[in-house]
């Protein structure tokens, strides 16, 4: 039986990855930061599984890593923990950079010292391409980060490669483009839209405030993407891979698609709020997933319209049940 550590296990991707690894027969240790509210709703359904264990630790507490590595022998470590909201990173840049850049460095040092045979997955991000107009973006596209979050991700991406080459660790980075699902945090734009549409439909909300509708993203389904993370760690050699759908759509298109599903008139409910715009925007992300297809045999299963439908229908159900 393999044992895996997932940092950020209570997040969207962490929860899907934990499910996938449990299905594959792993023993899964999930790392959780202490918070006054437990915030385990995404993993509550697996908490009673005897192969799943939640442990306290933090990306800024190297002692917690060493303690956990003393207690467990890991085959694989998936680093998904982050302050992952790009606009918030302009407001709390230091905290963001500490978790997103220094966190992986601390984890890699711990792996190098304690368990150098353990395989490492780094959650790199398409945000690293920033405002580079070149597209589609691949593993070799120049990184031009446009936020504190993205700058920190560039460091983490580089240090992962550095530990791979310098210390021969099996350390891979998945450059994941935006990945969404009904478990997406409510302040990210897709979920904000699907939740608002459901609430408007059920008479619980009237207006939806959004920022820049012209930004384009390559949106995939998070459940599809965690399989690519696992596949990366099953390869003989570690490497970097773009994980994306190869399609791009604007925020406006996502909004229109969801409001059409809900049979709502966008103009009646939309407010453009300049305060939601970013000091430095990433205008267009479009990934080229050819390498992942060729080397990992990975392909996205869920298309844009299907993703919007999955998310809207889940939110309709969620709002109906909880009346919130
Ligand atoms: O949903 P978003 O906040 O995601 P963003 O910034 O693309 O980042 C997400 O994907 C990255 C992968 O590329 C991850 F690394 C990162 O951690 C995160 O998961 O915003 C998408 C777009 C932006 O262009 C933003 O300006 O939507 C635009 N937008 C317009 N109105 C809005 C809003 N974004 C948010 N969050 N809220 C709005 O009201």
């Amino acid at each position: 039986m393999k044992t895996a550590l997932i940092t950020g296990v209570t997040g969207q991707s962490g929860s899907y990855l934990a499910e996938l690894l449990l299905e594959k027969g792993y023993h899964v240790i999930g790392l959780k930061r202490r918070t006054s509210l437990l915030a385990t709703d995404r993993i509550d359904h697996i908490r009673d599984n005897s192969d799943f264990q939640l442990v306290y630790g933090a990306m800024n507490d190297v002692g917690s890593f060493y303690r956990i590595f003393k207690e467990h022998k890991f085959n694989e470590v998936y680093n998904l923990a982050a302050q992952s909201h790009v606009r918030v990173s302009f407001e709390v840049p230091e905290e963001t950079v500490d978790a997103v850049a220094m966190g992986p460095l601390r984890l890699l040092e711990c792996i190098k010292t304690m368990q150098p045979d353990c395989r490492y997955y780094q959650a790199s991000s398409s945000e690293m391409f920033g405002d580079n107009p070149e597209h589609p973006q691949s593993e070799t596209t120049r990184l031009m980060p446009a936020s504190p979050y993205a700058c920190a991700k560039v460091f983490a991406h580089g240090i992962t490669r550095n530990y791979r080459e310098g210390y021969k660790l099996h350390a891979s980075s998945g450059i994941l483009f935006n990945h969404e699902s009904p478990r997406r945090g409510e302040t990210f734009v897709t979920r904000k839209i699907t939740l608002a549409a459901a609430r408007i439909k059920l008479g619980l909300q009237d207006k939806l405030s959004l920022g820049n509708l012209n930004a384009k993203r390559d949106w995939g389904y998070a459940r599809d993407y965690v399989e690519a993370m696992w596949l990366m760690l099953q390869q003989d050699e570690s490497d970097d891979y773009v994980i994306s759908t190869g399609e791009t759509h604007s925020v406006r298109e996502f909004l229109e698609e969801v409001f059409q599903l809900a049979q709502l008139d966008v103009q009646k409910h939309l407010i453009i709020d300049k305060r939601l715009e970013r000091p430095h925007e990433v205008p267009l992300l479009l990934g080229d997933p050819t390498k992942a297809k060729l080397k990992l045999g990975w392909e996205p299963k869920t298309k844009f319209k299907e993703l919007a439908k999955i998310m809207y229908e889940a939110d309709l159900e969620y709002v109906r049940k909880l009346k919130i």
Side-chain angles (χ1 to χ4, degrees), residues 19-37:
E19 281 171 13
L20 180 80
L21 298 184
L22 288 170
E23 273 165 36
K24 290 187 183 295
Y26 281 62
H27 183 59
V28 178
I29 310 290
L31 184 85
K32 188 193 175 318
R33 207 165 30 107
R34 204 212 80 89
T35 43
S36 52
L37 287 176

Side-chain angles (χ1 to χ4, degrees), residues 84 125-126 149 178 184 187 189 192 211-212 215 217 278 281:
S84 63
S125 163
S126 55
Y149 166 82
N178 296 49
R184 187 57 146 149
T187 58
V189 79
K192 188 171 170 183
N212 177 15
R217 292 290 183 271
R278 293 155 189 202
E281 177 64 281

Side-chain angles (χ1 to χ4, degrees), residues 221 223-225 227 245 298-303 306:
Y221 188 22
R223 195 188 274 280
D224 295 346
Y225 284 28
E227 173 130 45
T245 68
W298 179 88
E299 275 187 279
K301 299 187 187 93
T302 315
K303 293 280 193 190
E306 197 187 340

